Amino acid sequence: MSKFKLTDNEWKEKLTTEEFEVLRNSGTERPFTGKYVDHKDPGTYICAGCGSDLFSSESKFNSGTGWPSFFKAINQNKVSSKTDSSYGMIRTEVICKNCDSHLGHVFNDGPKPTGLRYCINSISLKHKPKKK
Ligand code: FE
């Protein structure tokens, strides 16, 4: 699969300032401010950068953290992770495999069956409603 690639200037044209800060600069939206924190509609959350399918509403859970949280990605081929040692913490950053945009982080304190908690910025996602 060919990857989705844009220059920095093209990203700036495509995204809002807030989206650019999170997706391309690995920023983090403030907790409890994102539009998908308490969102429960069935469907698929796609990448706000490239439209790739990332998370299903079926794996979304209420983590209480203030960010949309999922216990798994829709498919392991859709996301990749890398070590993030910023801010004096060792965390695992989650990025969209198709366009390398920053999504959030993944932690090992999630619910069954995976035990994972994908802590994702709302602004990195767009919800695609399930077809009736
Ligand atoms: Fe993407």
Side-chain angles (χ1 to χ4, degrees):
M1 187 170 77
S2 62
K3 295 224 333 173
F4 185 91
K5 259 193 178 340
L6 294 178
T7 64
D8 248 16
N9 277 336
E10 288 168 335
W11 277 118
K12 277 179 185 158
E13 275 179 30
K14 178 178 170 65
L15 302 175
T16 66
T17 309
E18 292 77 18
E19 287 171 342
F20 185 87
E21 180 53 27
V22 175
L23 273 78
R24 307 308 305 175
N25 256 342
S26 302
T28 300
E29 69 194 8
R30 280 178 297 120
F32 301 102
T33 63
K35 62 182 170 182
Y36 295 135
V37 177
D38 295 317
H39 191 257
K40 291 188 175 70
D41 294 354
T44 303
Y45 294 89
I46 64 174
C47 177
C50 73
S52 180
D53 289 357
L54 297 177
F55 299 97
S56 165
S57 58
E58 288 168 20
S59 57
K60 192 171 189 290
F61 69 101
N62 184 1
S63 64
T65 58
W67 290 282
S69 302
F70 304 86
F71 58 77
K72 67 173 182 188
I74 215 158
N75 183 317
Q76 274 313 313
N77 301 330
K78 299 289 190 179
V79 295
S80 50
S81 51
K82 62 181 188 191
T83 301
D84 170 12
S85 51
S86 64
Y87 301 104
M89 296 176 273
I90 305 290
R91 296 180 294 173
T92 304
E93 180 185 4
V94 182
I95 60 180
C96 172
K97 205 168 214 167
N98 190 41
C99 73
D100 292 334
S101 285
H102 174 79
L103 305 173
H105 292 88
V106 60
F107 302 91
N108 286 318
D109 55 9
K112 287 177 181 173
T114 60
L116 296 175
R117 171 170 62 92
Y118 286 88
C119 184
I120 305 298
N121 292 283
S122 289
I123 207 166
S124 299
L125 302 173
K126 290 203 192 306
H127 181 262
K128 200 172 71 180
K130 190 176 178 176
K131 288 196 188 81
K132 298 257 164 62

